Amino acid sequence: MADIDVAYKYYWENMFLQTEQLASYFDESFSFHDSNSPDGAQSSAASKNIESERKRRKKLTERLHAVRAVVPNISKMDKASIIKDAIDYIQELHNQERVIQAEISELESKRSIFLDFDEERSCNSKSKRSRFEQTCDSVGSRSSPIEVLELRVSHIGQKTIVVSLACSKRTDTIVKICEVFESLNLKIITANITAFSGRLLNTVFLEANEEEKDVLKIKIQTAIAALNDPDSPTSV
Amino acid sequence: MADIDVAYKYYWENMFLQTEQLASYFDESFSFHDSNSPDGAQSSAASKNIESERKRRKKLTERLHAVRAVVPNISKMDKASIIKDAIDYIQELHNQERVIQAEISELESKRSIFLDFDEERSCNSKSKRSRFEQTCDSVGSRSSPIEVLELRVSHIGQKTIVVSLACSKRTDTIVKICEVFESLNLKIITANITAFSGRLLNTVFLEANEEEKDVLKIKIQTAIAALNDPDSPTSV
DNA sequence: CATAACACGTGATGC
DNA sequence: TGCATCACGTGTTAT
């Protein structure tokens, strides 16, 4: 505690000294105080600190300007106001997202066949998908598990295996199927998904030996089970 | 993980406490120096400025903490990092809103076919859409356009038309194809998309008369062109 | 020990 | 003239 007081007192005295020196330096354009200083390394460190701090401030302000760029309806150019508007905007987006999610879940029963294909974009970009899943989980369990109606793994030709998977068309079923096949790291030649009368027919041609046929079927079943129940110990 | 968070929080709170103590100490010192100062008015103004500046900084930092509260997954407690994460989060929300709003509008347009009297609902959707259009305009340019390699519209059976569309597989191409067919409000029997050797093969069976064959082809071409160039006058 | 991040006081500027 | 905001250089602290 006493150390702190001493430190503060030293800081206080030093502060006044510095400001005086600073003023005199600016007024008279005096000879460099640094050259007269016994410790040159400290002045170098000080200038480094100055430049570093300048960089930090610059980055902060430019980030703030970037905030102003992504947030519409910025009332004032104030720093605090910019942050405030950003906060309000984020909260507004959160409310909108909740409302829209509610509408989607309300209308998803009437979605067209093609809408299910739309979800494949989530397979492309994992970052979007992850966030989407977050919001979905926060709202409630929107996605239903994969209901497998049929799974056939057959061997044709020398090194070609064809997987036929049929399941009922539910929310995000296509996304999950994509995830399943992505997670297996297969040498896929061609893949096909067909939506028809409430069902999803999936055919995948991939390069593999005949011996891998059975183990591949087990792998697929395991991956689907793990995706249906993420808390299962089989899930990684 | 949680330990790190707690440690950081404690670090921050402790930091804030220290600075507060420091400020109070300086305040006392200033008042003492104030009584000894020959010029009372100037020092009074200076202390006023000091206090005001202190208030400003405090407000700014607390706003920043509020930002940290509304933004999930904040990697670092850095001021600049907080702002950066907020920016990224807002952009991510923009992408989500764009995607989800597209789905909603399509779903509602389909719904409007069955419910002509549902004007109240369209009014609601308009109020929501206005904000979406703001953000959508701010996004502006889209990804790569659809490159159509082949488009055939043929008539089979009595009331069945089959559309065969081949295009090069690019970013979000499959999404745009889905959007095109969704926007046309067709009576789709079954739809199929196949990815093979960098190409996207799309086959759609739909219920329509033979006379609609040519106009349907024109409609598809127009929709694709409108999607490729949203600024085109054909785009609504 | 060097670096980075912070709050601080202060002068300058626009309203 | 006040009042609010800003950028700056600095000492301190924790990593």
Side-chain angles (χ1 to χ4, degrees), chain B residues 105-218:
Chain B
S105 66
E106 293 307 324
L107 284 173
E108 289 199 348
S109 72
K110 239 189 176 15
R111 204 180 152 84
S112 65
I113 294 178
F114 301 102
L115 303 176
D116 279 350
F117 291 153
D118 206 349
E119 296 182 4
E120 188 179 2
R121 181 164 204 85
S122 62
C123 283
N124 286 338
S125 69
K126 271 199 176 182
S127 66
K128 290 168 193 167
R129 185 168 308 185
S130 62
R131 167 160 301 279
F132 170 70
E133 280 181 344
Q134 281 181 357
T135 64
C136 200
D137 292 343
S138 68
V139 169
S141 65
R142 286 194 165 193
S143 51
S144 57
I146 301 178
E147 183 188 7
V148 177
L149 301 177
E150 185 184 7
L151 174 59
R152 284 185 297 125
V153 179
S154 37
H155 171 256
I156 59 174
Q158 293 90 338
K159 288 193 174 182
T160 301
I161 284 183
V162 52
V163 178
S164 298
L165 172 64
C167 53
S168 57
K169 183 165 157 49
R170 296 182 182 176
T171 306
D172 281 344
T173 301
I174 190 168
V175 178
K176 293 179 178 177
I177 290 178
C178 293
E179 286 181 353
V180 165
F181 281 98
E182 284 174 12
S183 64
L184 297 178
N185 284 329
L186 307 170
K187 294 181 180 178
I188 296 177
I189 302 170
T190 176
N192 179 290
I193 296 181
T194 297
F196 175 58
S197 73
R199 295 195 177 180
L200 230 54
L201 308 177
N202 186 9
T203 308
V204 179
F205 288 75
L206 53 93
E207 179 183 340
N209 294 326
E210 187 177 4
E211 306 87 64
E212 311 178 39
K213 194 181 66 175
D214 295 331
V215 62
L216 175 59
K217 185 171 184 177
I218 302 296

Side-chain angles (χ1 to χ4, degrees), chain A residues 7 11 14 18 50 53-54 57 78-79:
Chain A
Y11 176 76
N14 213 14
Q18 284 164 5
I50 288 176
E53 180 69 11
R54 205 177 294 171
R57 275 196 299 260
D78 242 341
K79 279 187 176 179

Side-chain angles (χ1 to χ4, degrees), chain B residues 58-107:
Chain B
K58 184 178 179 181
K59 180 166 65 180
L60 224 152
T61 51
E62 77 180 7
R63 290 252 171 100
L64 221 55
H65 284 210
V67 170
R68 189 182 52 171
V70 296
V71 174
N73 298 335
I74 334 99
S75 54
K76 295 179 181 178
M77 297 309 197
D78 244 338
K79 279 186 175 180
S81 300
I82 289 176
I83 300 181
K84 177 185 173 65
D85 288 339
I87 295 174
D88 295 343
Y89 184 58
I90 289 179
Q91 287 178 340
E92 215 168 333
L93 285 183
H94 278 176
N95 285 336
Q96 268 191 48
E97 189 171 7
R98 190 170 65 99
V99 170
I100 293 182
Q101 186 68 31
E103 291 190 15
I104 280 249
S105 66
E106 293 307 324
L107 284 173

Side-chain angles (χ1 to χ4, degrees), chain A residues 106-124:
Chain A
E106 176 191 349
L107 297 178
E108 69 180 358
S109 60
K110 294 184 175 54
R111 57 192 343 209
S112 69
I113 289 176
F114 269 101
L115 276 176
D116 215 1
F117 277 114
D118 270 353
E119 308 289 348
E120 185 166 347
R121 91 193 69 185
S122 303
C123 278
N124 292 335

